[in-house]
Amino acid sequence: MAKRNLTTEVLMQIRDELRVTGGKIDKTNEELQRTRQELVERIDRLERRQLESEVHLATELVSVAGAIKELSKLVAEDRQLRGQVADHEKRLSSLERAG
């Protein structure tokens, strides 16, 4: 009979320890779930910021491309005007020598 009481006592202690361990596991799972949710939220914020940055960069790139196109036109006009000015100066010099 003493053997049965000892076995019963050991089994009851094991059961109690399992309950404690189960509670600890539940607490750990809850903490993991909170951490996972926080990480998902942080990743979402990072994705939004990245998208906003990409849109901003694309907009600026379009602006830069437009400025380069305008600058190219101005340079072409400047070259044309320089040629005309050089031609006029040459003609004036000819007139001054002739006159």
Side-chain angles (χ1 to χ4, degrees):
M1 182 96 169
K3 183 176 180 183
R4 184 170 185 192
N5 288 339
L6 180 61
T7 303
T8 303
E9 185 67 28
V10 169
L11 289 173
M12 289 172 56
Q13 289 175 358
I14 291 172
R15 180 197 63 201
D16 293 343
E17 287 296 319
L18 285 174
R19 285 181 182 158
V20 171
T21 302
K24 289 179 181 178
I25 290 172
D26 290 342
K27 183 179 176 186
T28 301
N29 285 340
E30 290 171 5
E31 290 174 11
L32 284 173
Q33 185 60 32
R34 277 194 304 272
T35 302
R36 182 185 174 282
Q37 185 60 37
E38 290 170 8
L39 288 173
V40 166
E41 291 169 4
R42 289 180 72 182
I43 289 170
D44 288 345
R45 285 194 306 269
L46 284 173
E47 287 175 344
R48 280 192 300 274
R49 285 178 35 201
Q50 181 178 0
L51 180 62
E52 290 169 1
S53 294
E54 288 173 357
V55 168
H56 178 73
L57 286 174
T59 302
E60 292 300 319
L61 185 59
V62 168
S63 296
V64 168
I68 289 172
K69 186 175 182 179
E70 184 65 29
L71 183 60
S72 296
K73 287 179 186 178
L74 292 173
V75 168
E77 289 173 6
D78 183 62
R79 285 183 183 162
Q80 183 182 9
L81 289 175
R82 284 180 188 225
Q84 288 177 352
V85 168
D87 182 55
H88 291 308
E89 286 179 356
K90 184 178 176 183
R91 289 170 54 197
L92 280 174
S93 293
S94 295
L95 289 173
E96 287 174 349
R97 276 183 269 155

XYZ file of all heavy atoms in Angstrom:
796
model
N 0.812 -1.185 0.000
C 0.000 0.000 0.000
C 0.861 1.257 0.000
O 0.505 2.215 -0.656
C -0.882 -0.044 1.254
C -1.803 1.088 1.351
S -3.369 0.574 0.699
C -4.351 1.872 1.188
N 1.988 1.248 0.677
C 2.881 2.396 0.723
C 3.444 2.687 -0.650
O 3.633 3.841 -1.015
C 4.001 2.143 1.709
N 3.665 1.584 -1.406
C 4.206 1.760 -2.755
C 3.191 2.500 -3.610
O 3.544 3.379 -4.387
C 4.543 0.408 -3.353
C 5.188 0.508 -4.717
C 5.593 -0.850 -5.217
C 6.245 -0.709 -6.583
N 6.583 -1.995 -7.148
N 1.945 2.156 -3.492
C 0.903 2.802 -4.282
C 0.769 4.269 -3.901
O 0.625 5.135 -4.761
C -0.415 2.081 -4.074
C -1.498 2.651 -4.942
C -2.704 1.796 -4.921
N -3.659 2.334 -5.879
C -4.881 1.979 -5.967
N -5.334 1.030 -5.165
N -5.681 2.500 -6.845
N 0.857 4.596 -2.657
C 0.776 5.979 -2.207
C 1.966 6.788 -2.715
O 1.813 7.949 -3.102
C 0.718 6.055 -0.682
C -0.630 5.593 -0.149
O -1.607 5.590 -0.882
N -0.656 5.192 1.099
N 3.141 6.177 -2.727
C 4.337 6.851 -3.233
C 4.194 7.105 -4.727
O 4.482 8.197 -5.215
C 5.590 6.010 -2.940
C 6.905 6.611 -3.429
C 7.167 7.959 -2.764
C 8.047 5.650 -3.160
N 3.706 6.123 -5.464
C 3.511 6.270 -6.909
C 2.476 7.346 -7.187
O 2.671 8.196 -8.060
C 3.061 4.925 -7.516
O 4.035 3.926 -7.219
C 2.888 5.035 -9.017
N 1.412 7.316 -6.435
C 0.367 8.323 -6.600
C 0.918 9.708 -6.306
O 0.641 10.672 -7.046
C -0.818 8.016 -5.677
O -1.295 6.700 -5.956
C -1.944 9.011 -5.877
N 1.706 9.818 -5.268
C 2.308 11.108 -4.890
C 3.232 11.626 -5.992
O 3.179 12.805 -6.367
C 3.077 10.946 -3.567
C 3.629 12.240 -3.025
C 2.552 13.216 -2.584
O 1.463 12.786 -2.190
O 2.819 14.429 -2.663
N 4.060 10.754 -6.551
C 4.978 11.136 -7.630
C 4.183 11.570 -8.857
O 4.488 12.586 -9.502
C 5.954 9.982 -7.970
C 6.719 10.261 -9.260
C 6.904 9.732 -6.812
N 3.156 10.832 -9.215
C 2.335 11.187 -10.372
C 1.633 12.534 -10.168
O 1.522 13.341 -11.101
C 1.314 10.090 -10.661
C 1.881 8.783 -11.239
C 0.789 7.722 -11.314
C 2.506 9.020 -12.599
N 1.188 12.787 -8.953
C 0.546 14.062 -8.660
C 1.544 15.217 -8.765
O 1.211 16.304 -9.292
C -0.095 14.026 -7.267
C -1.334 13.139 -7.216
S -2.010 12.870 -5.556
C -2.281 14.504 -4.973
N 2.754 15.002 -8.321
C 3.787 16.034 -8.435
C 4.124 16.306 -9.919
O 4.291 17.461 -10.326
C 5.049 15.626 -7.672
C 4.888 15.670 -6.174
C 6.119 15.148 -5.436
O 7.096 14.708 -6.049
N 6.059 15.179 -4.114
N 4.197 15.234 -10.698
C 4.462 15.383 -12.134
C 3.332 16.172 -12.784
O 3.564 17.088 -13.594
C 4.644 14.005 -12.807
C 5.944 13.361 -12.336
C 4.613 14.137 -14.328
C 6.122 11.913 -12.788
N 2.097 15.832 -12.427
C 0.931 16.548 -12.960
C 1.000 18.033 -12.617
O 0.792 18.900 -13.467
C -0.350 15.937 -12.405
C -1.618 16.634 -12.914
C -2.825 16.313 -12.083
N -2.603 16.810 -10.716
C -3.248 16.361 -9.655
N -4.139 15.408 -9.759
N -3.001 16.853 -8.464
N 1.333 18.336 -11.362
C 1.417 19.728 -10.936
C 2.513 20.481 -11.694
O 2.337 21.631 -12.106
C 1.658 19.801 -9.432
C 0.470 19.290 -8.617
O -0.639 19.190 -9.203
O 0.661 18.989 -7.422
N 3.643 19.837 -11.886
C 4.745 20.450 -12.629
C 4.359 20.685 -14.085
O 4.719 21.699 -14.682
C 6.009 19.590 -12.547
C 6.693 19.639 -11.191
C 7.206 21.031 -10.852
O 7.753 21.708 -11.750
O 7.020 21.457 -9.695
N 3.607 19.727 -14.647
C 3.149 19.896 -16.030
C 2.209 21.094 -16.149
O 2.237 21.818 -17.145
C 2.476 18.629 -16.540
C 3.406 17.476 -16.904
C 2.594 16.232 -17.252
C 4.300 17.862 -18.075
N 1.376 21.304 -15.166
C 0.482 22.459 -15.177
C 1.288 23.767 -15.146
O 0.991 24.711 -15.875
C -0.480 22.402 -13.990
C -1.569 21.388 -14.164
C -2.513 21.393 -12.984
N -3.536 20.361 -13.157
C -4.228 19.835 -12.194
N -4.033 20.238 -10.937
N -5.133 18.914 -12.431
N 2.295 23.790 -14.285
C 3.153 24.984 -14.192
C 3.864 25.213 -15.532
O 3.902 26.323 -16.060
C 4.174 24.839 -13.039
C 5.206 25.956 -13.087
C 3.465 24.822 -11.694
N 4.418 24.123 -16.073
C 5.128 24.222 -17.356
C 4.177 24.665 -18.464
O 4.529 25.504 -19.292
C 5.774 22.871 -17.721
O 6.667 22.487 -16.666
C 6.533 22.953 -19.021
N 2.969 24.121 -18.470
C 1.972 24.515 -19.472
C 1.642 26.003 -19.369
O 1.495 26.686 -20.380
N 1.535 26.508 -18.149
C 1.282 27.937 -17.940
C 2.418 28.788 -18.474
O 2.201 29.834 -19.090
N 3.650 28.330 -18.255
C 4.814 29.060 -18.759
C 4.828 29.057 -20.292
O 5.147 30.069 -20.927
C 6.100 28.445 -18.230
C 6.321 28.680 -16.745
C 7.600 28.011 -16.273
C 7.811 28.210 -14.783
N 9.044 27.523 -14.306
N 4.469 27.934 -20.869
C 4.422 27.838 -22.337
C 3.350 28.774 -22.890
O 3.574 29.470 -23.884
C 4.187 26.382 -22.786
C 5.432 25.546 -22.496
C 3.803 26.306 -24.256
C 5.249 24.049 -22.730
N 2.192 28.811 -22.223
C 1.129 29.717 -22.667
C 1.591 31.173 -22.607
O 1.344 31.959 -23.528
C -0.126 29.539 -21.808
C -0.824 28.205 -22.055
O -0.547 27.580 -23.098
O -1.639 27.803 -21.198
N 2.277 31.534 -21.534
C 2.785 32.902 -21.387
C 3.805 33.211 -22.477
O 3.774 34.284 -23.090
C 3.421 33.076 -20.002
C 3.901 34.469 -19.746
C 4.492 34.606 -18.354
C 5.050 36.002 -18.159
N 5.746 36.148 -16.889
N 4.680 32.267 -22.752
C 5.683 32.453 -23.804
C 5.007 32.610 -25.161
O 5.400 33.471 -25.965
C 6.671 31.269 -23.831
O 7.306 31.168 -22.553
C 7.719 31.441 -24.902
N 3.992 31.820 -25.431
C 3.261 31.930 -26.697
C 2.599 33.295 -26.844
O 2.600 33.878 -27.925
C 2.224 30.814 -26.824
C 2.850 29.474 -27.157
O 3.968 29.398 -27.654
N 2.129 28.408 -26.863
N 2.041 33.811 -25.750
C 1.429 35.138 -25.781
C 2.473 36.204 -26.085
O 2.234 37.118 -26.884
C 0.731 35.428 -24.448
C -0.513 34.601 -24.205
C -1.061 34.763 -22.790
O -0.524 35.603 -22.020
O -2.015 34.043 -22.449
N 3.631 36.108 -25.456
C 4.713 37.070 -25.696
C 5.183 36.991 -27.148
O 5.433 38.015 -27.787
C 5.871 36.824 -24.738
C 5.552 37.181 -23.293
C 6.670 36.789 -22.332
O 7.775 36.425 -22.791
O 6.429 36.860 -21.125
N 5.296 35.782 -27.658
C 5.696 35.604 -29.059
C 4.668 36.217 -30.000
O 5.023 36.834 -31.008
C 5.902 34.119 -29.382
C 7.179 33.480 -28.855
C 7.149 31.981 -29.100
C 8.403 34.093 -29.497
N 3.408 36.042 -29.698
C 2.352 36.609 -30.530
C 2.411 38.131 -30.523
O 2.270 38.770 -31.575
C 0.973 36.114 -30.055
C -0.178 36.555 -30.919
C -0.065 36.067 -32.352
O 0.473 35.000 -32.618
N -0.542 36.862 -33.283
N 2.618 38.731 -29.349
C 2.742 40.191 -29.264
C 3.949 40.671 -30.061
O 3.867 41.649 -30.808
C 2.867 40.631 -27.803
C 1.548 40.767 -27.078
C 1.695 41.515 -25.778
N 2.671 40.929 -24.870
C 2.419 39.970 -23.969
N 1.199 39.482 -23.866
N 3.360 39.504 -23.190
N 5.070 39.963 -29.902
C 6.288 40.333 -30.625
C 6.062 40.216 -32.127
O 6.471 41.084 -32.898
C 7.462 39.433 -30.192
O 7.653 39.569 -28.778
C 8.732 39.807 -30.909
N 5.408 39.154 -32.552
C 5.115 38.958 -33.973
C 4.256 40.101 -34.497
O 4.514 40.652 -35.567
C 4.405 37.629 -34.194
C 4.101 37.322 -35.634
C 3.271 36.020 -35.760
N 2.863 35.796 -37.117
C 1.869 36.407 -37.740
N 1.165 37.308 -37.092
N 1.568 36.134 -38.997
N 3.243 40.484 -33.754
C 2.362 41.573 -34.167
C 3.141 42.888 -34.267
O 2.958 43.654 -35.213
C 1.182 41.722 -33.204
C 0.162 42.742 -33.631
C -0.458 42.406 -34.978
O -0.696 41.250 -35.302
N -0.701 43.424 -35.775
N 4.009 43.145 -33.303
C 4.829 44.358 -33.343
C 5.723 44.363 -34.578
O 5.877 45.388 -35.245
C 5.680 44.465 -32.075
C 4.886 44.772 -30.825
C 5.726 44.642 -29.559
O 6.948 44.467 -29.657
O 5.139 44.734 -28.466
N 6.295 43.215 -34.891
C 7.163 43.116 -36.064
C 6.381 43.329 -37.358
O 6.848 44.010 -38.273
C 7.885 41.766 -36.094
C 8.997 41.586 -35.069
C 9.507 40.152 -35.096
C 10.132 42.559 -35.317
N 5.193 42.767 -37.425
C 4.350 42.962 -38.615
C 4.034 44.450 -38.789
O 4.119 44.988 -39.897
C 3.054 42.127 -38.511
C 2.018 42.551 -39.530
C 3.367 40.647 -38.653
N 3.706 45.120 -37.697
C 3.400 46.547 -37.759
C 4.617 47.349 -38.197
O 4.509 48.272 -39.016
C 2.883 47.040 -36.411
C 1.508 46.490 -36.061
C 1.106 46.769 -34.621
O 1.862 47.452 -33.892
O 0.021 46.302 -34.222
N 5.789 47.004 -37.663
C 7.015 47.715 -38.049
C 7.337 47.483 -39.521
O 7.725 48.411 -40.236
C 8.187 47.257 -37.178
C 8.090 47.745 -35.745
C 9.241 47.284 -34.911
N 10.436 48.021 -35.296
C 11.627 47.811 -34.768
N 11.776 46.874 -33.850
N 12.666 48.512 -35.145
N 7.169 46.263 -39.993
C 7.427 45.955 -41.402
C 6.453 46.737 -42.288
O 6.848 47.287 -43.321
C 7.348 44.436 -41.658
C 8.549 43.743 -41.023
C 7.270 44.139 -43.146
C 8.454 42.226 -41.000
N 5.193 46.808 -41.877
C 4.202 47.575 -42.639
C 4.611 49.044 -42.733
O 4.520 49.661 -43.806
C 2.811 47.458 -42.012
C 2.175 46.093 -42.214
O 2.662 45.327 -43.076
O 1.186 45.793 -41.513
N 5.067 49.615 -41.603
C 5.502 51.018 -41.614
C 6.706 51.206 -42.533
O 6.770 52.170 -43.302
C 5.835 51.483 -40.194
C 4.616 51.738 -39.330
C 4.956 52.503 -38.055
N 5.998 51.908 -37.260
C 5.820 51.028 -36.274
N 4.597 50.630 -35.978
N 6.835 50.553 -35.581
N 7.636 50.275 -42.467
C 8.820 50.359 -43.336
C 8.434 50.261 -44.804
O 8.975 50.991 -45.646
C 9.821 49.251 -42.980
C 10.632 49.463 -41.708
C 11.440 48.209 -41.396
C 11.546 50.659 -41.847
N 7.512 49.370 -45.122
C 7.064 49.236 -46.507
C 6.403 50.531 -46.987
O 6.635 50.968 -48.111
C 6.100 48.064 -46.646
C 6.776 46.715 -46.568
C 5.802 45.546 -46.590
O 4.581 45.763 -46.371
O 6.260 44.421 -46.812
N 5.589 51.154 -46.132
C 4.947 52.420 -46.507
C 5.991 53.509 -46.729
O 5.923 54.263 -47.708
C 3.941 52.856 -45.436
C 2.606 52.146 -45.524
C 1.545 52.820 -44.648
N 1.891 52.858 -43.242
C 1.648 51.870 -42.373
N 1.065 50.770 -42.779
N 1.987 51.987 -41.107
N 6.964 53.587 -45.828
C 8.015 54.603 -45.975
C 8.831 54.360 -47.235
O 9.188 55.309 -47.934
C 8.923 54.600 -44.745
C 8.261 55.247 -43.549
C 9.076 55.245 -42.284
N 10.491 55.406 -42.445
C 11.383 55.035 -41.537
N 10.978 54.496 -40.407
N 12.668 55.218 -41.737
N 9.111 53.104 -47.531
C 9.873 52.796 -48.736
C 9.083 53.204 -49.974
O 9.641 53.796 -50.907
C 10.227 51.311 -48.790
C 11.042 50.949 -50.020
C 11.434 49.482 -50.051
O 11.096 48.718 -49.146
N 12.116 49.091 -51.083
N 7.801 52.896 -50.003
C 6.964 53.264 -51.140
C 6.911 54.783 -51.298
O 7.041 55.306 -52.410
C 5.555 52.690 -50.972
C 4.568 53.009 -52.089
C 5.067 52.425 -53.411
C 3.204 52.454 -51.748
N 6.739 55.498 -50.187
C 6.720 56.956 -50.246
C 8.042 57.495 -50.788
O 8.053 58.422 -51.608
C 6.447 57.538 -48.854
C 5.024 57.306 -48.360
C 4.861 57.642 -46.887
O 5.841 58.078 -46.238
O 3.743 57.462 -46.375
N 9.154 56.912 -50.361
C 10.463 57.340 -50.847
C 10.615 57.064 -52.332
O 11.149 57.895 -53.076
C 11.581 56.624 -50.079
O 11.591 57.003 -48.738
N 10.152 55.903 -52.769
C 10.250 55.570 -54.190
C 9.415 56.517 -55.040
O 9.861 56.952 -56.108
C 9.813 54.119 -54.412
C 10.813 53.106 -53.896
C 10.312 51.673 -53.969
O 9.153 51.450 -54.371
O 11.090 50.773 -53.611
N 8.224 56.857 -54.571
C 7.369 57.799 -55.303
C 8.049 59.166 -55.353
O 8.079 59.825 -56.401
C 5.966 57.893 -54.663
C 5.172 59.059 -55.219
C 5.220 56.587 -54.857
N 8.603 59.594 -54.220
C 9.286 60.885 -54.161
C 10.475 60.897 -55.129
O 10.668 61.864 -55.880
C 9.744 61.170 -52.730
C 10.493 62.443 -52.588
N 9.884 63.677 -52.648
C 11.810 62.686 -52.405
C 10.792 64.615 -52.502
N 11.969 64.043 -52.352
N 11.262 59.842 -55.118
C 12.417 59.767 -56.016
C 11.992 59.760 -57.474
O 12.611 60.412 -58.321
C 13.253 58.526 -55.703
C 14.084 58.586 -54.425
C 14.741 57.236 -54.156
C 15.140 59.665 -54.512
N 10.946 59.040 -57.790
C 10.460 59.002 -59.170
C 9.996 60.392 -59.611
O 10.290 60.817 -60.735
C 9.329 57.979 -59.301
N 9.309 61.095 -58.741
C 8.847 62.445 -59.050
C 10.034 63.373 -59.294
O 10.051 64.146 -60.259
C 7.978 62.989 -57.898
O 6.881 62.099 -57.696
C 7.473 64.382 -58.183
N 11.023 63.293 -58.431
C 12.207 64.125 -58.588
C 12.972 63.772 -59.860
O 13.509 64.641 -60.538
C 13.125 64.005 -57.362
C 12.531 64.607 -56.100
C 12.214 66.088 -56.238
O 13.022 66.829 -56.841
O 11.147 66.505 -55.769
N 13.012 62.504 -60.184
C 13.697 62.067 -61.399
C 13.021 62.645 -62.641
O 13.692 63.093 -63.574
C 13.729 60.539 -61.470
C 14.508 59.921 -62.621
C 15.962 60.361 -62.588
C 14.411 58.403 -62.567
N 11.701 62.675 -62.637
C 10.967 63.283 -63.754
C 11.289 64.765 -63.836
O 11.507 65.315 -64.928
C 9.445 63.040 -63.599
C 8.651 63.887 -64.568
C 9.138 61.561 -63.790
N 11.375 65.433 -62.691
C 11.718 66.857 -62.671
C 13.123 67.094 -63.215
O 13.347 68.020 -63.994
C 11.623 67.409 -61.246
O 10.307 67.351 -60.776
N 14.056 66.264 -62.811
C 15.438 66.392 -63.293
C 15.493 66.154 -64.798
O 16.180 66.880 -65.533
C 16.379 65.425 -62.531
C 17.739 65.332 -63.199
C 16.531 65.869 -61.086
N 14.774 65.159 -65.279
C 14.755 64.881 -66.719
C 14.198 66.080 -67.481
O 14.725 66.454 -68.540
C 13.933 63.628 -67.000
N 13.159 66.700 -66.952
C 12.590 67.889 -67.584
C 13.585 69.045 -67.598
O 13.713 69.761 -68.602
N 14.299 69.219 -66.489
C 15.293 70.289 -66.420
C 16.427 70.040 -67.407
O 16.912 70.973 -68.059
C 15.836 70.398 -64.990
N 16.854 68.803 -67.547
C 17.920 68.469 -68.501
C 17.454 68.743 -69.927
O 18.206 69.282 -70.749
C 18.369 67.009 -68.324
C 19.142 66.861 -67.017
C 19.214 66.540 -69.502
C 19.480 65.437 -66.647
N 16.216 68.402 -70.230
C 15.670 68.652 -71.569
C 15.644 70.150 -71.855
O 16.040 70.594 -72.939
C 14.259 68.056 -71.669
C 13.657 68.128 -73.042
C 12.320 67.417 -73.073
C 11.726 67.455 -74.479
N 10.449 66.757 -74.536
N 15.193 70.936 -70.894
C 15.153 72.385 -71.053
C 16.562 72.953 -71.216
O 16.800 73.823 -72.056
C 14.452 73.018 -69.846
C 14.259 74.501 -69.951
C 13.322 74.912 -71.070
O 12.416 74.133 -71.433
O 13.504 76.022 -71.608
N 17.481 72.451 -70.423
C 18.867 72.907 -70.518
C 19.460 72.562 -71.882
O 20.180 73.367 -72.478
C 19.707 72.277 -69.405
C 21.169 72.710 -69.323
C 21.282 74.210 -69.094
C 21.879 71.942 -68.220
N 19.146 71.395 -72.398
C 19.628 70.994 -73.722
C 19.111 71.951 -74.797
O 19.849 72.339 -75.711
C 19.181 69.569 -74.048
O 19.756 68.658 -73.160
N 17.842 72.342 -74.691
C 17.277 73.312 -75.640
C 18.023 74.645 -75.561
O 18.345 75.251 -76.584
C 15.790 73.540 -75.359
C 14.888 72.407 -75.751
C 13.447 72.759 -75.407
C 12.513 71.602 -75.644
N 11.123 71.935 -75.265
N 18.279 75.091 -74.332
C 18.971 76.364 -74.150
C 20.391 76.313 -74.704
O 20.855 77.281 -75.320
C 18.985 76.750 -72.666
C 17.632 77.107 -72.050
C 17.768 77.310 -70.544
C 17.042 78.347 -72.715
N 21.067 75.215 -74.496
C 22.426 75.069 -75.027
C 22.400 75.085 -76.550
O 23.241 75.732 -77.201
C 23.090 73.779 -74.481
C 24.361 73.453 -75.233
C 23.374 73.920 -72.994
N 21.430 74.398 -77.144
C 21.307 74.386 -78.605
C 21.017 75.802 -79.127
O 21.615 76.231 -80.130
C 20.213 73.415 -79.034
N 20.126 76.520 -78.453
C 19.825 77.898 -78.859
C 21.055 78.776 -78.721
O 21.328 79.629 -79.580
C 18.675 78.458 -78.020
C 17.328 77.851 -78.317
C 16.244 78.311 -77.348
O 16.503 79.197 -76.498
O 15.131 77.766 -77.426
N 21.804 78.579 -77.633
C 23.028 79.355 -77.406
C 24.036 79.104 -78.520
O 24.662 80.038 -79.017
C 23.636 79.008 -76.045
C 24.864 79.839 -75.743
O 24.730 81.078 -75.657
O 25.966 79.240 -75.611
N 24.196 77.875 -78.920
C 25.126 77.557 -80.011
C 24.697 78.243 -81.300
O 25.525 78.777 -82.041
C 25.190 76.049 -80.229
C 25.980 75.323 -79.179
C 26.070 73.846 -79.501
N 26.769 73.141 -78.440
C 26.719 71.842 -78.264
N 26.015 71.093 -79.098
N 27.375 71.280 -77.291
N 23.404 78.213 -81.570
C 22.893 78.856 -82.778
C 23.145 80.361 -82.727
O 23.600 80.957 -83.699
C 21.404 78.571 -82.945
C 20.819 79.151 -84.207
C 19.320 78.892 -84.319
O 18.696 78.416 -83.378
N 18.760 79.219 -85.468
N 22.867 80.977 -81.568
C 23.070 82.423 -81.424
C 24.548 82.790 -81.533
O 24.900 83.815 -82.115
C 22.487 82.917 -80.098
C 20.967 82.921 -80.013
C 20.518 83.313 -78.607
C 20.363 83.864 -81.043
N 25.419 81.944 -80.974
C 26.859 82.219 -81.074
C 27.304 82.227 -82.533
O 28.113 83.052 -82.938
C 27.658 81.184 -80.282
C 27.605 81.404 -78.800
C 28.415 80.348 -78.072
N 28.215 80.463 -76.650
C 29.193 80.410 -75.777
N 30.422 80.210 -76.185
N 28.929 80.530 -74.507
N 26.769 81.288 -83.296
C 27.092 81.259 -84.732
C 26.616 82.509 -85.439
O 27.340 83.081 -86.273
N 25.393 82.945 -85.102
C 24.857 84.159 -85.720
C 25.677 85.385 -85.322
O 25.973 86.248 -86.158
C 23.396 84.363 -85.312
C 22.434 83.396 -85.960
C 21.001 83.584 -85.459
O 20.753 84.335 -84.517
N 20.066 82.887 -86.085
N 26.040 85.473 -84.050
C 26.833 86.607 -83.561
C 28.196 86.612 -84.261
O 28.679 87.671 -84.700
C 26.991 86.560 -82.022
C 28.038 87.559 -81.550
C 25.651 86.835 -81.349
N 28.807 85.444 -84.372
C 30.108 85.373 -85.055
C 29.970 85.815 -86.503
O 30.827 86.541 -87.035
C 30.660 83.952 -84.968
N 28.904 85.404 -87.169
C 28.670 85.804 -88.553
C 28.461 87.316 -88.655
O 29.028 87.972 -89.537
C 27.453 85.058 -89.116
C 27.192 85.401 -90.561
O 28.136 85.236 -91.378
O 26.058 85.824 -90.877
N 27.679 87.885 -87.744
C 27.434 89.332 -87.747
C 28.735 90.093 -87.490
O 28.998 91.124 -88.142
C 26.381 89.733 -86.725
C 24.992 89.281 -87.049
N 24.385 89.515 -88.256
C 24.069 88.605 -86.309
C 23.172 89.014 -88.257
N 22.944 88.447 -87.080
N 29.534 89.622 -86.566
C 30.804 90.285 -86.279
C 31.720 90.240 -87.498
O 32.411 91.217 -87.811
C 31.486 89.640 -85.066
C 30.819 90.003 -83.759
C 31.480 89.334 -82.558
O 32.415 88.525 -82.732
O 31.045 89.628 -81.438
N 31.716 89.119 -88.183
C 32.535 88.980 -89.388
C 32.064 89.957 -90.462
O 32.881 90.634 -91.108
C 32.439 87.542 -89.891
C 33.295 87.230 -91.076
C 33.141 85.753 -91.428
C 33.923 85.430 -92.685
N 33.734 84.041 -93.095
N 30.754 90.063 -90.632
C 30.201 90.977 -91.629
C 30.473 92.433 -91.247
O 30.798 93.270 -92.112
C 28.711 90.721 -91.794
C 28.458 89.388 -92.511
C 27.031 88.925 -92.505
N 26.087 89.914 -93.033
C 24.782 89.848 -92.818
N 24.263 88.865 -92.107
N 23.982 90.764 -93.330
N 30.375 92.764 -89.967
C 30.665 94.120 -89.511
C 32.125 94.477 -89.754
O 32.453 95.594 -90.179
C 30.326 94.273 -88.033
C 28.860 94.488 -87.678
C 28.667 94.471 -86.173
C 28.339 95.790 -88.251
N 32.991 93.488 -89.452
C 34.423 93.737 -89.683
C 34.676 93.988 -91.163
O 35.468 94.878 -91.532
C 35.245 92.543 -89.222
O 35.178 92.399 -87.846
N 34.012 93.259 -92.024
C 34.170 93.452 -93.485
C 33.682 94.835 -93.890
O 34.312 95.518 -94.714
C 33.379 92.394 -94.252
O 33.890 91.118 -94.027
N 32.527 95.245 -93.320
C 31.985 96.567 -93.635
C 32.898 97.684 -93.139
O 33.086 98.703 -93.813
C 30.582 96.727 -93.047
C 29.464 95.922 -93.713
C 28.174 96.064 -92.912
C 29.251 96.393 -95.147
N 33.459 97.491 -91.944
C 34.355 98.504 -91.382
C 35.613 98.640 -92.228
O 36.133 99.739 -92.441
C 34.716 98.150 -89.941
C 33.588 98.371 -88.973
C 33.909 97.876 -87.549
O 34.925 97.169 -87.354
O 33.103 98.166 -86.647
N 36.135 97.526 -92.727
C 37.327 97.564 -93.579
C 36.994 98.188 -94.934
O 37.811 98.891 -95.501
C 37.866 96.162 -93.783
C 38.765 95.741 -92.631
C 39.348 94.380 -92.872
N 38.371 93.436 -92.244
C 38.189 92.199 -92.548
N 38.913 91.651 -93.487
N 37.303 91.480 -91.952
N 35.818 97.939 -95.428
C 35.429 98.449 -96.732
C 35.064 99.933 -96.660
O 35.179 100.647 -97.658
C 34.257 97.661 -97.301
N 34.628 100.362 -95.550
C 34.100 101.696 -95.416
C 35.026 102.692 -94.925
O 35.528 103.639 -95.281
